[in-house]
Amino acid sequence: MVEPLGPRLEVPFVRHDPNGQFAHVNRWFQETEPPRNLILVAHGMSLTLFDVQWSGHTHGSGLALGTLRPSETVLAEREGELADPLEFDVLRSRMDGLNRWAAMEAVTSDYDTDESGLIQSFTAIARSTFGESWRQGEADLRLVAHWGTLPTEDAYDRRIAITNNVVLESRFPTARPFVDHLAEQRKVANLLVLMFGAPISFREHRIRHNRFPTRVLSGRIIDHPFVEIVSVRTVRERAMRVPATSERQDPLATVTQIGPDGMTEWSNNYDKWRRFILPSVAVLGRPDAFLEDIVTSTSMAIEAAGSLVGFREGEQPTYGRTGRPTAATYAYRCLDVIDVEFGVHAGGRTELARAIANNYNAVKHFDRGDLPDHRETHLIAELNCWIVRLFALTLTGKGKELIAPHRLARERWRLVQWFEAYRLRIDSGGRWVPSQQASGTVGDHAAEPGEATLGTG
């Protein structure tokens, strides 16, 4: 494994081999057409490499070294015809935030105490449990609380750790390639990015199919286990730093609150709302994004959403001189849909929409002079992140009930504190003016230009 690039296979060979022992390998690299699939046996393990691509070769006077890159690597040997493409029924994936979002457990525990209240025995019960399930196109998805053991022992110490994690499972009625499973699971991962307002990475994939059996010495099949698969499509995510629990805020809504119908509705809306979802996820899912990047990507998302929403009562003051909708109009529409007030400093709906559009246009257009004041850009970035995250809840078909708790002022306390720390407010024309009151500060720190501090609820 060469992270974050994924598995690479280095193949030494002799270029000018009079005996022809390396003739076939020579052709792989000279013609850049290696076998589609390969089985690698090394160090007591068998790996199956699928969709193998040429990745370069070097040579000296006689010896050469070629490099191959498989698109998918399964940590097991597949039975049957080697040339067949990789297809399977079930994919299980682990990703950041899934445990908290699903709120499921595979391990329960209990203990007995004596008359003094001292623990005398401890019992842990590990049992896989199934959570919410829903339909996405042709696929059935469900959440599974899965357990495993990690025993360790040396000459001094022995212990058993029990893993207790939630996985996302996708299942098709017939075997499908990895990319089909990933497309459906990515819809869920992108929803989690919006729910947490933070990057979400795939950490592990396991597949199950009848061509990856477990056999005893007699040849009898006793199991079809889940075997690990590494894909170039997600291997970079595996290499990302795993966030600490303290770095994760609670999600805007859990899977239980969204429900199976809401998850299906999110999936049904996904393609139509891609131009809203993808820019939002791209910037929220990127650590340490610049403030200007956040404003640009979230404003693009807001424009797309506002276009799809259509006319909203009261939007006319945001029209341009020609009487046509503007960027401020699209922002107004999104604000009207989520119906959340962001405090007296942010002004009314029309004023805030104008401020968002002004900052977006000033950042986007090079002929608008200098970039806006970083304090203003920081506040618009915070506001935009709140807007796109709350708007995403409406795509589950349950926007009204899911947004309701976030209309409480305490939910946006941190945002109000930034306004007060900067001593800024938005006036009736959508312009930034000094605030007459500044009753609080945010520690001793104000965001510097380019520093991202997202509104994460």
Side-chain angles (χ1 to χ4, degrees):
M1 177 71 71
V2 184
E3 292 181 337
L5 300 177
R8 295 290 189 275
L9 177 62
E10 293 185 340
V11 183
F13 62 98
V14 178
R15 289 189 64 207
H16 306 292
D17 175 22
N19 298 319
Q21 180 180 355
F22 295 95
H24 62 295
V25 180
N26 230 318
R27 287 193 298 272
W28 295 356
F29 296 101
Q30 295 301 324
E31 300 174 8
T32 66
E33 291 186 3
R36 194 68 171 173
N37 303 328
L38 289 168
I39 293 177
L40 173 64
V41 180
H43 306 294
M45 290 184 61
S46 293
L47 312 179
T48 312
L49 316 180
F50 294 94
D51 190 26
V52 177
Q53 307 288 328
W54 173 87
S55 190
H57 65 275
T58 59
H59 53 80
S61 58
L63 294 177
L65 182 66
T67 305
L68 303 176
R69 184 192 71 174
S71 295
E72 276 81 43
T73 302
V74 179
L75 278 60
E77 183 175 340
R78 187 182 67 173
E79 296 186 350
E81 181 60 45
L82 179 60
D84 291 347
L86 175 63
E87 295 181 339
F88 48 89
D89 309 298
V90 185
L91 172 69
R92 283 185 175 180
S93 301
R94 288 185 58 196
M95 66 182 76
D96 299 336
L98 202 55
N99 291 339
R100 182 176 293 190
W101 184 64
M104 297 170 59
E105 299 284 345
V107 178
T108 58
S109 60
D110 196 5
Y111 56 86
D112 295 321
T113 61
D114 60 16
E115 61 276 6
S116 300
L118 301 176
I119 296 176
Q120 299 299 306
S121 66
F122 177 84
T123 303
I125 299 175
R127 180 183 294 110
S128 293
T129 57
F130 302 104
E132 301 285 1
S133 61
W134 62 94
R135 186 80 169 177
Q136 285 189 195
E138 298 180 59
D140 291 309
L141 278 80
R142 69 176 176 180
L143 297 168
V144 182
H146 179 71
W147 66 277
T149 58
L150 297 172
T152 58
E153 183 175 353
D154 56 30
Y156 169 72
D157 190 29
R158 62 183 179 185
R159 69 190 71 182
I160 297 178
I162 302 177
T163 61
N164 176 19
N165 294 300
V166 178
V167 296
L168 175 64
E169 179 182 286
S170 58
R171 182 187 300 266
F172 284 89
T174 58
R176 300 290 282 270
F178 178 83
V179 67
D180 288 1
H181 287 270
L182 182 62
E184 297 304 327
Q185 294 199 4
R186 182 66 74 181
K187 295 175 184 177
V188 180
N190 285 349
L191 177 61
L192 263 65
V193 171
L194 291 159
M195 293 301 96
F196 285 100
I200 297 293
S201 297
F202 281 101
R203 299 294 176 177
E204 182 183 85
H205 304 291
R206 290 182 178 271
I207 66 173
R208 185 164 67 183
H209 191 253
N210 57 18
R211 292 182 65 176
F212 293 97
T214 298
R215 295 180 182 272
V216 295
L217 290 177
S218 65
R220 182 170 61 89
I221 296 175
I222 60 172
D223 192 16
H224 290 99
F226 282 92
V227 294
E228 187 171 1
I229 179 173
V230 179
S231 173
V232 295
R233 294 173 174 85
T234 60
V235 71
R236 289 179 181 271
E237 298 176 46
R238 294 168 63 113
M240 297 292 288
R241 183 182 68 86
V242 177
T245 303
S246 59
E247 296 175 32
R248 278 284 186 263
Q249 302 290 332
D250 289 334
L252 293 182
T254 65
V255 67
T256 303
Q257 293 170 318
I258 296 171
D261 292 342
M263 293 302 300
T264 297
E265 185 70 9
W266 167 263
S267 174
N268 292 340
N269 282 324
Y270 194 89
D271 287 340
K272 177 182 177 181
W273 293 85
R274 296 175 69 86
R275 295 299 294 268
F276 162 74
I277 295 170
L278 297 184
S280 302
V281 169
V283 72
L284 289 171
R286 191 169 78 244
D288 304 320
F290 284 102
L291 293 175
E292 291 78 9
D293 289 343
I294 297 170
V295 168
T296 301
S297 294
T298 53
S299 295
M300 287 171 56
I302 288 170
E303 277 190 318
S307 297
L308 290 168
V309 165
F311 177 81
R312 304 290 291 190
E313 192 66 39
E315 69 177 38
Q316 292 89 340
T318 64
Y319 290 176
R321 293 192 182 98
T322 61
R324 296 176 61 84
T326 63
T329 309
Y330 302 131
Y332 179 94
R333 291 173 180 176
C334 292
L335 290 167
D336 192 61
V337 168
I338 63 176
D339 190 25
V340 172
E341 301 298 331
F342 290 96
V344 294
H345 296 80
R349 197 164 293 169
T350 301
E351 293 77 20
L352 177 54
R354 286 173 174 160
I356 291 171
N358 290 340
N359 191 271
Y360 173 42
N361 287 322
V363 169
K364 182 174 63 172
H365 296 291
F366 79 95
D367 57 355
R368 298 290 180 94
D370 292 336
L371 290 171
D373 187 298
H374 76 271
R375 297 171 300 171
E376 300 169 10
T377 302
H378 175 213
L379 291 171
I380 293 298
E382 291 271 2
L383 286 160
N384 277 9
C385 288
W386 263 108
I387 292 167
V388 298
R389 293 180 62 209
L390 291 171
F391 191 93
L393 293 173
T394 68
L395 303 186
T396 67
K398 297 185 176 182
K400 185 175 182 180
E401 59 192 87
L402 294 178
I403 293 174
H406 303 288
R407 293 194 174 100
L408 301 175
R410 66 170 180 268
E411 292 290 320
R412 292 170 306 287
W413 173 86
R414 181 167 163 273
L415 178 61
V416 172
Q417 290 292 292
W418 278 116
F419 269 98
E420 294 186 345
Y422 288 147
R423 299 174 182 265
L424 290 173
R425 65 180 178 85
I426 299 170
D427 71 4
S428 59
R431 295 177 294 268
W432 295 92
V433 296
S435 174
Q436 298 304 311
Q437 294 181 344
S439 60
T441 60
V442 185
D444 298 318
H445 178 68
E448 296 299 327
E451 179 182 350
T453 311
L454 302 183
T456 52

